[in-house]
Amino acid sequence: MKIHENIRNMRRAHGMTQEELAAYLGVTASAVNKWEKGLSYPDITFLPILASYFNISVDELLGYEPQMTREDIRKLYQEMAERLSREPFGTVYAECEEYVRKYHSCFPLVMRMAGLYLNHCQLCEDPQALMERIISMTDYVIQECREIDISKEAQSIQRACWMLQGHPEKILESSDEVLHPIDQEMEGIGQAYFMLGNAERAQEYLQSAAYQHLLMLIGDTGMLISGQKEYSEQAEQMIRRSLEVAELFHVEALHFNTMFQLYLAIAEFYVRCAMEEKALEILERYVSCCVRLKFPIMLHGDDYFTSIGRFLEELSLGTMAPRTDRAIRESIVGAVCANPAFAPLTGNERFRRLTEKLKRHLEEEV
């Protein structure tokens, strides 16, 4: 606590001597002197009196900050993510938990730490226990936070945990199972700006909405393909259309992770259908996309999405990736080389060359 510094600085700012402050409080000047030197602390009953006299809050008097700034949270996330790539998970986790305890009412911080745990759960010796901790954190945010966007994020992270735990029924229990239309608030604001003659702001809102819808379309299609158990013309249509849209909007360059997930979903589908050549064609596209990646990974627009910069900066982590470059490279390789779905391809020479190319690229980057 910085209470000793704060008392000294506030007293001086008010032009008071230690004797005058002591007389006002009804204590000795020696007591005030010890407070200002950090040798002792005022009795708790003096705190509201001091805060009121100096016209500050008790938190300010104590030097306690119940909230962290967005920038501080981003820096903390990045620091902890970097440390997780080189230090034991338990060591970093303990420090993260200290921040969560200190800033218990800072809901954005609690959510960033929950996201950090989720994005690095594979490093934990007891992933199930970590999942339960994440769920308890998100429960707290859902119950206490009054900001709708943060509560929605907490619900999303909670659903991801349940899915990883193998409890899809809990997702349904927490849902009203109504097919809600997607909120079009950003489109409405963009249209309003157009009507007011502010084309620049309108572009920001409408392009940001289109960017999100594009990624959701590709991502949702990948999940639909993952759910297909056997080959059908409909599944082939899903694959063809999603790849065409992705190519049209240069999604590989725009948001690599969306494309990686789509390629994996398609390749796994083709392996399930015993269509090895098609699976290998998709995996070749996956590998080609991988070797073209430029590190560090950052979110960005392009010559179509020219006005999404502010939207990206206002994301919880800004334009930075949720994991370190090392963790991303390892997951890129592991998604193919350690994926049990591709076990039927292990004897294929073409598959072997692809995996070697991925591993070689990883070693070069590291």
Side-chain angles (χ1 to χ4, degrees):
M1 291 191 296
K2 301 178 181 178
I3 186 171
H4 64 290
E5 294 178 6
N6 293 340
I7 292 175
R8 181 178 64 245
N9 293 338
M10 294 303 294
R11 175 182 62 76
R12 290 175 176 174
H14 282 69
M16 299 179 72
T17 64
Q18 290 182 346
E19 289 76 11
E20 288 171 330
L21 180 59
Y24 175 77
L25 295 171
V27 298
T28 65
S30 175
V32 174
N33 183 265
K34 288 181 178 179
W35 296 347
E36 293 187 358
K37 289 182 177 179
L39 300 176
S40 65
Y41 295 107
D43 186 274
I44 192 171
T45 58
F46 287 127
L47 298 182
I49 299 172
L50 281 165
S52 177
Y53 184 77
F54 293 140
N55 194 29
I56 59 177
S57 69
V58 172
D59 281 349
E60 290 176 286
L61 179 67
L62 294 171
Y64 171 68
E65 299 175 3
Q67 302 290 324
M68 289 181 69
T69 66
R70 175 186 293 184
E71 188 57 34
D72 285 341
I73 294 171
R74 288 180 181 177
K75 288 179 180 178
L76 178 64
Y77 184 104
Q78 190 168 28
E79 176 192 344
M80 294 303 178
E82 288 285 350
R83 289 179 56 189
L84 281 170
S85 68
R86 61 179 188 273
E87 296 180 32
F89 181 89
T91 302
V92 181
Y93 174 79
E95 289 196 34
C96 292
E97 287 292 285
E98 283 299 317
Y99 278 98
V100 172
R101 278 191 286 272
K102 182 178 180 180
Y103 298 99
H104 190 59
S105 63
C106 184
F107 298 117
L109 170 71
V110 176
M111 290 311 305
R112 292 293 70 72
M113 293 299 97
L116 179 75
Y117 298 164
L118 181 61
N119 289 325
H120 298 84
C121 63
Q122 76 280 1
L123 301 176
C124 180
E125 291 183 0
D126 190 349
Q128 288 299 323
L130 183 62
M131 292 290 172
E132 290 303 319
R133 172 57 182 149
I134 298 170
I135 291 170
S136 72
M137 293 167 74
T138 52
D139 272 338
Y140 164 66
V141 172
I142 292 168
Q143 292 168 15
E144 301 295 334
C145 184
R146 298 294 177 265
E147 295 184 43
I148 294 175
D149 288 345
I150 296 179
S151 293
K152 285 184 176 179
E153 183 183 4
Q155 292 168 0
S156 178
I157 290 179
Q158 199 168 80
R159 287 194 292 269
C161 287
W162 286 332
M163 192 65 72
L164 289 171
Q165 287 181 320
H167 294 304
E169 72 284 354
K170 291 187 177 181
I171 298 176
L172 301 182
E173 290 169 6
S174 67
S175 169
D176 58 16
E177 295 197 52
V178 176
L179 295 172
H180 297 284
I182 295 176
D183 186 296
Q184 291 189 298
E185 180 181 6
M186 292 181 71
E187 287 86 345
I189 295 173
Q191 188 174 18
Y193 271 121
F194 266 136
M195 293 175 67
L196 292 171
N198 192 335
E200 183 177 347
R201 293 288 278 179
Q203 289 278 358
E204 279 189 331
Y205 279 91
L206 293 173
Q207 283 197 20
S208 297
Y211 170 82
Q212 293 177 83
H213 288 312
L214 170 64
L215 299 186
M216 284 193 289
L217 172 63
I218 302 298
D220 290 347
T221 304
M223 285 190 279
L224 284 168
I225 294 168
S226 294
Q228 305 300 306
K229 302 303 180 185
E230 57 185 31
Y231 184 81
S232 69
E233 182 56 36
Q234 182 187 27
E236 195 63 47
Q237 281 283 342
M238 292 180 192
I239 293 169
R240 181 178 62 80
R241 293 190 188 192
S242 61
L243 292 176
E244 287 177 354
V245 170
E247 185 174 355
L248 180 64
F249 284 94
H250 304 165
V251 179
E252 273 195 9
L254 188 67
H255 197 278
F256 86 95
N257 190 55
T258 296
M259 281 310 300
F260 280 11
Q261 297 305 318
L262 178 64
Y263 286 147
L264 289 171
I266 296 172
E268 289 172 4
F269 167 73
Y270 280 138
V271 171
R272 283 197 301 276
C273 298
M275 302 172 71
E276 289 193 1
E277 289 304 306
K278 281 185 170 291
L280 289 166
E281 287 174 13
I282 295 297
L283 286 174
E284 284 177 346
R285 295 178 68 159
Y286 176 96
V287 173
S288 295
C289 181
C290 168
V291 299
R292 289 195 299 269
L293 274 177
K294 300 297 182 183
F295 292 92
I297 300 296
M298 304 287 285
L299 294 177
H300 56 82
D302 61 9
D303 54 5
Y304 181 90
F305 292 103
T306 57
S307 301
I308 65 172
R310 187 166 70 91
F311 164 74
L312 296 177
E313 285 294 340
E314 290 181 357
L315 293 173
S316 57
L317 294 177
T319 58
M320 64 179 281
R323 291 187 289 174
T324 64
D325 290 343
R326 177 183 293 272
I328 291 171
R329 290 192 291 266
E330 290 176 353
S331 68
I332 287 171
V333 175
V336 174
C337 300
N339 190 338
F342 298 133
L345 300 177
T346 52
N348 187 293
E349 177 62 21
R350 190 173 166 191
F351 181 74
R352 186 189 63 79
R353 289 197 302 270
L354 286 172
T355 56
E356 286 181 354
K357 186 175 182 179
L358 268 180
K359 292 176 181 177
R360 187 166 58 250
H361 180 69
L362 172 67
E363 292 170 357
E364 290 172 356
E365 292 292 344
V366 172

